[in-house]
Each structure stands twice: as C-alpha cells, then as structure tokens.
Amino acid sequence: MTTNAELIERDLSVLWHPCTQMSDHEWLPLLPIRRGEGVWLEDFDGNRYIDTLSSWWVNLFGHANPRINRALKTQMEELEHVILAGCGHEPAVALAEKLRETTPPGLDRCFYADNGSAAVEVAIKMSYHYWRNRNQEDRRKFVTLSNSYHGETLGALAVGNVDLYKATYGPLLMDVLTAPSPDCFEREEGESWEEYSRRMFRPMAELLEQEHEQVSAVIVEPLVQCAGGMRMYHPVYLKLLREACDHYGIHLIADEIAVGFGRTGSLFACGQADITPDFMCLSKGLTGGYLPMSAVMMTEEIYQGFYDRYENLTAFLHSHSYTGNPLACSVALETLAIFEDEDVIERNRAKAERIAQAFAPLADHPNVGEVRQHGMILAAEMMKDPKTREPYPWQERRGLHVYRHALKHEALMRPLGHVFYFMPPYVISDEQIEHCARVAMEGIDRATAA
Ligand code: PMP
C-alpha cells in the first residue's frame, strides 16, 4: 500500500502544482488524496477530510456520487468522444436543451468549451466579433469591475482585476476599462447592501456614459467576487447594469462559472436580479465537479449576428478539441436532474440557514471584520483591527494557520489570503456543518493570536 510520504516524494519530483509556489512544499506538506466519497476526501494514510471548498468550488453532490457515477458509466459504453464540428450527439443536444430551459429566459443558444477561462474567452471574442459583423468594429473595449476574476488565460486575465494573478502579465494583456466594485465590505457603517450597491453603480453609469461608443461588453461575476476574496454585493447592481447596457446597446456578460448552479441560493445568481445577460458563462458545478467542461449561453440575436453565407466570413471559427465531450455532457445532465428530483434549491435554503447559525459566533471575534453570506457561500474577513479596518499584512499569510489546524481536525479549508470561506458540497450534513464551524473558529483563533 502506498503511503502519504511515498506519494508526496514521487509527486514533488515530477509535478508542478497549480497556483502554488512549489518551494512552500519544503515545509507545508502536500495532501495526497487516495479516494473520495460524499463530502469526504481520504489520504493514503487513512486520514479523512471534509472538502469544505468543494474542490475549488466544482463539487455539488459529493465525491463518487452514485447517480453521477452511473450516468458516466452508461455513457462510456455508448460514446466517449466525437468531434463536435460537423457531428452531433444526444448528450450535447439534451444538455443544451436543458440549459436553455433552466437559464434565464432568452438564453436560447449554447456554445461549449472545456473550462471556465475558455468560456470567458469565447464570450469576449464572440461579443467583439458580433459588433464587427455588424460593422461596429470600434466597439472593442471591455468594462470590468475592480477585484474581479475571470480566469487565467490572457483574455480572461485581462478582464480580471486581481493584481496577485494579473500584474506580472500586464504587458501581455489588452487594455480594459475598470469601474469600482460594488463589494459591500466597503460600505459605510449603517449603510445597507442595497444602498451601497446602488451608490456604487454611479461610477459605472458615468463610465458607460462617457465610453459607450467603444464598449463591446461589460463582464461581471454576479453577486459574489469569489477569487477576489468572496466579496459580495446586492442584486440591485445587476438590475441597474442590465438597464444601462440596454440603454447603450452594450452586451452584458455574466460569468456564473463560480456562482452558478445554486451557490448563491438560486439556480443562477442573475435570477435574483431577474435579468437575462447577453452571455452567460458556465463551468465548475456544471458537471457536478466531475469533468472539465464549460458552456456559454447566449441570445438568439447574438447567434443571428454570425449566421450568413460562408463567403462573407462572419462565422465564429473558435474551437477546442474536447468541445461538447459526451461524458461531460452526460454527467452535467445527471447533475441537473439531481437539482430537479431532489428539490436542491429549496433544501439548500435550510442548509444555508444552518451555516449562518453555526458560524454566527464569528461575527463577535475581535479580529473578524465581517461575516458575509450569499446562500451556500459564507466568508469571514480576518483583520488586524476591524475598527480601523486595518488588514493584516499579506506577507503574514495567516490563513495558513486555519489550513493547518483544519487538517488536524478532519477538514480541508483553504482561506484566500486572510479571508476564510466555507463553500461545501450541498450534501454536507448539519453535524458536519457544525463540526466545520467549530474547527474554523479554532483555526481563526490561532491565525489571529500572534
Ligand atoms: N470565472 C470565475 C468567476 C471563476 O471563479 C473561475 C475559476 N475560479 C474562472 C472564471 C476560471 O475557470 P477555470 O479555472 O475553469 O479556467
């Protein structure tokens, strides 16, 4: 039987891990995972951990979910993959139909890609290309929010705004226009989320008024800026933004890659603002956390903007080899079927309530500046002095104390800098939520003690 130590040694001699300064693993042990079941991950020495971050926000219904496993095995026997240019297959069609039915009304066309960043690339290329096909080539700028994150490929990175990931590659990236985020952490004392998000729409309105003639699209993460530290805002901002985009005839791209599929309490975050974007990017939870896949949903109007004789060279000649992979489509279909059969959104309401109660004591912690929540995402901001809003210097990496403490107590937690967050698979039990809350509070005590 392989042990943790053996796998770690082999791993570090050959792998380069994502989003990691590899030298950290000289003192911070890698966690080798042998198997998963439900919310649990198990290492090679037999230790178990609750996956409180849903494996980078992808897992919805647990690891080795029996229903999804069955769907995958069944599909595997029929067709594992086929080129999607010129060919079609049942799972790709059925999933597109299902997405058309479940996403906000008007998103009637589906284009597949194979990860979140690729979906963002598709949406921004398609938006620009649409205007070009309409002889409005000057519309080539994208408007983004401060602190936003849309992926790591060069286009996605350009429309993102988290310096930690972006600054190094600045010289390689296209210029974008940036409006301040409506992130409610910055609101004044006594100001409601709604008031603040409304107030923060003003700079966006001014930017659009000045620049609209050269703007192709505005791209946002609806309701929660996840990689930017789980910063949250009120749905009213999305409503106002939709109205402004309509007024100027600008596309609105909703990046629901992290917040889609029930994370914020509704199936899609845009639903809470009752809006339909022109493009909606989906990935992560789309396959229940099983396989890499993404989809961009768009309006028929966008689709028609490309529909012409070949000789006119208006076609969207963008492709990825694994576009519409049948295995991924079939697990996505099963994931969506679970939502329907098991009344997931309604059950998550009670679960979100439980999460709020379990973590409520954190709000009184002397080094916690805010505990915030949108549905199945809860976050707590560790701060040196919440009264003066003084953050801890980032170099102190206090979140790692939470990470290490949690590992000793059967939980995998991975704060984003000094922001602790809890974003578990939906199948987590009430007892497990309470256990995680206890572990997190102890971890935060340790992290903020020094
Ligand atoms: N957009 C958002 C909002 C995300 O959170 C992420 C991933 N964290 C991405 C895009 C990129 O997705 P991927 O990692 O699959 O490329």
Side-chain angles (χ1 to χ4, degrees):
M1 279 278 277
T2 309
T3 63
N4 278 1
E6 284 163 1
L7 198 87
I8 290 171
E9 192 185 331
R10 281 172 52 205
D11 184 310
L12 294 179
S13 71
V14 65
L15 277 187
W16 187 341
H17 288 261
C19 203
T20 300
Q21 170 48 266
M22 289 300 292
S23 77
D24 277 358
H25 287 312
E26 290 175 18
W27 53 273
L28 189 69
L30 190 77
L31 186 61
I33 298 300
R34 189 173 71 82
R35 61 186 298 278
E37 191 178 339
V39 296
W40 293 102
L41 295 169
E42 192 181 311
D43 71 16
F44 284 78
D45 293 347
N47 305 304
R48 313 190 302 164
Y49 313 91
I50 296 175
D51 184 358
T52 75
L53 47 137
S54 300
S55 288
W56 253 340
W57 325 334
V58 299
N59 193 293
L60 303 186
F61 300 122
H63 297 277
N65 180 287
R67 280 188 65 168
I68 302 180
N69 283 0
R70 239 184 340 261
L72 183 56
K73 283 181 191 151
T74 306
Q75 181 57 40
M76 218 154 60
E77 299 298 332
E78 286 294 320
L79 177 68
E80 82 302 332
H81 188 64
V82 64
I83 176 174
L84 201 69
C87 295
H89 55 81
E90 171 68 27
V93 176
L95 179 60
E97 288 169 346
K98 198 81 207 160
L99 289 172
R100 179 172 61 189
E101 186 189 311
T102 50
T103 52
L107 294 173
D108 291 337
R109 287 277 166 183
C110 173
F111 189 96
Y112 292 118
D114 42 25
N115 62 68
S117 306
V120 170
E121 300 287 342
V122 166
I124 60 185
K125 280 177 72 179
M126 231 181 226
S127 171
Y128 164 73
H129 196 160
Y130 172 90
W131 296 120
R132 190 175 184 277
N133 285 350
R134 292 265 185 256
N135 297 318
Q136 295 191 51
E137 246 176 284
D138 288 346
R139 287 189 182 268
R140 63 177 64 154
K141 281 270 162 79
F142 291 88
V143 176
T144 183
L145 294 176
S146 60
N147 194 45
S148 56
Y149 179 90
H150 298 288
E152 300 292 347
T153 52
L154 294 179
L157 204 53
V159 294
N161 189 254
V162 178
D163 267 354
L164 181 62
Y165 310 120
K166 179 173 182 175
T168 309
Y169 308 100
L172 305 183
L173 305 177
M174 68 173 165
D175 280 339
V176 295
L177 300 167
T178 308
S181 166
D183 156 22
C184 290
F185 182 64
E186 307 291 344
R187 72 196 185 281
E188 299 290 324
E189 220 182 304
E191 193 175 23
S192 71
W193 279 34
E194 177 166 359
E195 284 162 346
Y196 185 73
S197 293
R198 265 184 197 282
R199 176 154 74 82
M200 289 313 290
F201 187 71
R202 268 182 243 143
M204 171 65 93
E206 280 161 24
L207 180 70
L208 294 181
E209 188 184 353
Q210 281 160 23
E211 309 287 352
H212 64 92
E213 280 170 3
Q214 51 162 343
V215 172
S216 180
V218 180
I219 180 165
V220 292
E221 293 160 272
L223 301 187
V224 188
Q225 296 187 313
C226 293
M230 301 294 163
R231 294 293 182 90
M232 301 180 182
Y233 59 92
H234 192 274
V236 72
Y237 189 89
L238 297 172
K239 237 184 192 0
L240 296 170
L241 185 58
R242 177 70 275 181
E243 283 167 19
C245 287
D246 283 343
H247 180 72
Y248 295 116
I250 294 169
H251 295 148
L252 176 59
I253 303 172
D255 174 353
E256 293 236 9
I257 288 163
V259 295
F261 302 102
R263 274 292 163 199
T264 65
S266 45
L267 191 57
F268 297 104
C270 283
Q272 293 186 42
D274 214 6
I275 62 153
T276 299
D278 300 278
F279 299 89
M280 183 182 271
C281 301
L282 302 169
S283 189
K284 291 192 187 276
L286 172 61
T287 61
Y290 264 62
L291 286 164
M293 162 141 122
S294 57
V296 183
M297 299 300 294
M298 74 283 305
T299 60
E300 186 66 16
E301 189 185 338
I302 301 286
Y303 176 76
Q304 289 300 334
F306 293 76
Y307 200 91
D308 203 345
R309 287 158 43 94
Y310 185 83
E311 297 75 35
N312 290 336
L313 294 176
T314 58
F316 190 60
L317 301 181
H318 177 113
S319 62
H320 298 286
S321 314
Y322 283 100
T323 295
N325 175 259
L327 301 174
C329 288
S330 56
V331 299
L333 278 165
E334 193 63 18
T335 299
L336 285 164
I338 294 175
F339 272 100
E340 279 177 16
D341 300 344
E342 301 182 14
D343 207 5
V344 173
I345 297 297
E346 194 49 46
R347 280 176 37 194
N348 277 2
R349 259 185 213 129
K351 205 125 277 193
E353 219 11 75
R354 251 341 230 270
I355 292 173
Q357 284 163 7
F359 286 88
L362 261 184
D364 300 323
H365 193 286
N367 293 103
V368 169
E370 181 178 70
V371 181
R372 49 182 176 264
Q373 186 178 3
H374 251 316
M376 295 295 287
I377 311 175
L378 176 134
E381 192 97 11
M382 291 185 272
M383 307 194 80
K384 189 162 184 179
D385 186 352
K387 280 191 209 77
T388 59
R389 302 249 124 182
E390 186 184 355
Y392 287 114
W394 61 267
Q395 295 89 337
E396 293 180 4
R397 302 177 75 185
R398 286 166 184 261
L400 289 175
H401 291 277
V402 180
Y403 171 78
R404 300 184 92 162
H405 178 78
L407 285 187
K408 289 190 198 127
H409 296 88
E410 300 201 316
L412 175 63
M413 296 177 170
R414 232 181 103 96
L416 288 155
H418 293 140
V419 177
F420 164 80
Y421 73 91
F422 185 65
M423 197 163 169
Y426 304 159
V427 291
I428 194 164
S429 71
D430 291 346
E431 294 71 37
Q432 288 162 344
I433 290 171
E434 273 141 35
H435 171 75
C436 289
R438 268 196 308 278
V439 172
M441 289 189 269
E442 291 161 8
I444 289 171
D445 278 344
R446 281 166 188 251
T448 55

